[in-house]
Amino acid sequence: MDQLTAQFISLEGSEGAGKSTAMNVITALFEDWQVPFIQTREPGGEGNAEQIRELLLHSDHLEAKTELLLMFAARNEHIVKVIRPALAAGQWVISDRFVDASYAYQGWGRGLQWQTIEYLEQLVVGNTQANLTLLLDVDPELGLERAARRSEKDRIEQENLRFFENIRSGYMQRAKAYPNRIKVIDANLSIDAVKLQIENVLRDFKSDLLKV
Ligand code: Z5A
């Protein structure tokens, strides 16, 4: 696959959707295909951005606009220092969350205006957009139940069910608006069934690239 331009793939979904499982499935496929790649995440993925992540997830309280600005501040460091250089060097990038999360969480979840998010997206992301986004869609109750079994909750995870229902609606609206890029995975199913869906999407994505 080294004749192909490096691709940028993002993973999205609300709490407990199974993004870590998805990451493992994709990395196994890429190893099999011998694609050079890096794994990264948002907020974070770079030294300064990881410090901002700490503030975002573990502060006692943050104003919604502060939260949004910090997400984009971390994203700017991540894009400039990690994502763009990796793509330029021919490495594929798999990011656990990217800009769709800001629309879902800060837009739908916190109720901040689209125009503000769009402005920040233009400023920070520009044309460094994901080529493919896997949206792991899970019923929020099931997702919260899974996540509760996993670890202690951070600041954002302490929100109520209604908040996560709004996030889910936000993500589904994004999927409707960008059907070519965002592929919805039914993450309510068993891990094996989810894995199969992800592999199918990735195989289709690869064969489309080979056709171009
Ligand atoms: N955030 C934001 O607000 N705005 C932004 O712009 C960005 C992010 C970029 C940190 O993200 C927070 O930042 C996040 C959104 C916000 N807050 N929340 N909520 P994060 O991605 O680092 O944190 P996370 O959402 O908590 O995700 P996670 O922990 O990395 O992964 P996950 O998708 O929630 O789930 P998981 O760890 O892969 O799986 C959870 C458990 O369920 C685990 O034990 C699995 O083994 C199990 N699991 C997974 N799939 C299945 C299936 N299919 N069946 C049964 N059990 C399963």
Side-chain angles (χ1 to χ4, degrees):
M1 292 258 289
D2 49 11
Q3 75 275 26
L4 294 174
T5 310
Q7 301 293 306
F8 177 16
I9 294 166
S10 62
L11 302 177
E12 298 283 0
S14 68
E15 189 52 19
K19 289 181 290 91
S20 315
T21 312
M23 183 62 92
N24 294 338
V25 175
I26 298 173
T27 56
L29 266 184
F30 284 3
E31 276 160 11
D32 190 34
W33 297 347
Q34 301 191 323
V35 166
F37 68 92
I38 62 159
Q39 290 180 52
T40 187
R41 67 170 180 184
E42 287 207 347
E46 183 279 336
N48 294 329
E50 285 290 333
Q51 288 192 40
I52 299 173
R53 177 186 176 94
E54 201 46 36
L55 197 62
L56 275 161
L57 300 189
H58 302 294
S59 299
D60 284 345
H61 172 77
L62 280 179
E63 289 298 318
K65 282 183 200 160
T66 310
E67 186 178 273
L68 176 72
L69 291 168
L70 287 176
M71 289 293 174
F72 274 94
R75 182 163 296 132
N76 195 48
E77 291 291 297
H78 187 214
I79 290 175
V80 173
K81 297 180 182 169
V82 176
I83 298 180
R84 284 182 190 146
L87 292 170
Q91 287 183 301
W92 292 42
V93 174
I94 320 165
S95 184
D96 184 338
R97 299 194 187 278
F98 193 58
V99 74
D100 295 303
S102 297
Y103 284 94
Y105 281 80
Q106 282 64 55
W108 285 74
R110 304 286 189 219
L112 294 176
Q113 286 192 338
W114 298 117
Q115 296 92 318
T116 313
I117 305 176
E118 273 166 3
Y119 172 76
L120 291 169
E121 182 182 11
Q122 273 172 26
L123 180 76
V124 169
V125 180
N127 54 17
T128 310
Q129 297 286 348
N131 302 104
L132 172 70
T133 298
L134 296 181
L135 169 55
L136 295 146
D137 177 56
V138 70
D139 179 284
E141 256 180 288
L142 178 59
L144 288 172
E145 203 182 289
R146 283 181 191 163
R149 276 189 250 128
R150 181 196 52 193
S151 59
E152 223 170 272
K153 293 181 173 187
D154 63 40
R155 186 182 59 83
I156 300 176
E157 289 167 352
Q158 288 167 20
E159 291 293 339
N160 61 26
L161 184 61
R162 184 65 190 273
F163 177 81
F164 290 103
E165 284 169 351
N166 290 339
I167 305 286
R168 185 188 198 187
S169 308
Y171 271 131
M172 292 311 275
Q173 294 285 337
R174 299 282 297 165
K176 263 193 208 144
Y178 302 97
N180 292 332
R181 172 176 64 85
I182 305 182
K183 303 296 174 197
V184 181
I185 304 292
D186 184 349
N188 297 294
L189 306 177
S190 69
I191 291 187
D192 282 347
V194 171
K195 192 175 161 205
L196 206 65
Q197 293 175 74
I198 295 171
E199 287 171 346
N200 287 337
V201 169
L202 264 292
R203 290 203 177 98
D204 288 349
F205 180 68
K206 178 187 170 189
S207 47
D208 286 349
L209 286 175
L210 290 168
K211 276 183 214 150
V212 180

